[in-house]
Amino acid sequence: MEMCVFDIPAVIIAGFILAMIYAKRLRRKNPDWWFFLLSSITAIFWGNILMAGLGVIEPWFGLFPAVTVPIAVAIPTALSYPLWFNFSGQIATYLFGHDRTQAGMVWPFSLKDSSAPFQPSWKSSKTQSSTK
């Protein structure tokens, strides 16, 4: 079975970048999108491997180098793609924050605070004080 040599690095980079986009832009309105992003990227890569394994196409249409690997190596490698995506996403959120109000572990080393201001729940207009 032929596999592209850049599949796992591409999944790692995609997970890192999409985790930053998710944390800073998508999480507030769509908190469940991480699963959608994980499923979409996994489906793209698994679809490529499946079609290449069936002989329909070359891996990534021959744009990147591919190697022939035994089925016993290809299947666990392909099944690990969601794990690599999620792992790199967790690293990105640890480094840059889980949402817009967090700056992550690189915050002390940055020159500008890029996090959104935090609004405590007791100052929020949504919470109403109870009266007796």
Side-chain angles (χ1 to χ4, degrees):
M1 174 176 221
E2 285 195 37
M3 293 184 71
C4 179
V5 295
F6 296 127
D7 275 356
I8 290 179
V11 168
I12 290 172
I13 291 170
F16 195 88
I17 292 171
L18 289 175
M20 290 191 304
I21 293 171
Y22 169 74
K24 302 302 180 186
R25 303 273 186 242
L26 299 174
R27 185 174 183 167
R28 180 173 291 228
K29 293 181 181 178
N30 306 307
D32 297 331
W33 265 51
W34 183 247
F35 179 74
F36 173 73
L37 294 171
L38 173 74
S39 302
S40 300
I41 295 298
T42 302
I44 290 169
F45 280 88
W46 280 355
N48 177 56
I49 286 181
L50 181 65
M51 289 191 300
L54 294 174
V56 177
I57 62 169
E58 292 181 34
W60 298 112
F61 303 105
L63 297 174
F64 302 107
V67 294
T68 304
V69 295
I71 296 290
V73 174
I75 290 175
T77 302
L79 291 176
S80 72
Y81 289 172
L83 302 174
W84 285 111
F85 184 86
N86 198 33
F87 171 72
S88 64
Q90 287 179 354
I91 297 297
T93 55
Y94 292 150
L95 290 175
F96 299 107
H98 292 283
D99 62 10
R100 295 177 60 208
T101 61
Q102 297 178 355
M105 293 176 67
V106 298
W107 173 75
F109 306 107
S110 63
L111 297 175
K112 180 183 170 191
D113 186 14
S114 62
S115 61
F118 176 72
Q119 178 86 13
S121 63
W122 56 272
K123 283 189 174 181
S124 176
S125 62
K126 292 180 184 177
T127 60
Q128 298 183 10
S129 61
S130 61
T131 57
K132 293 184 179 179

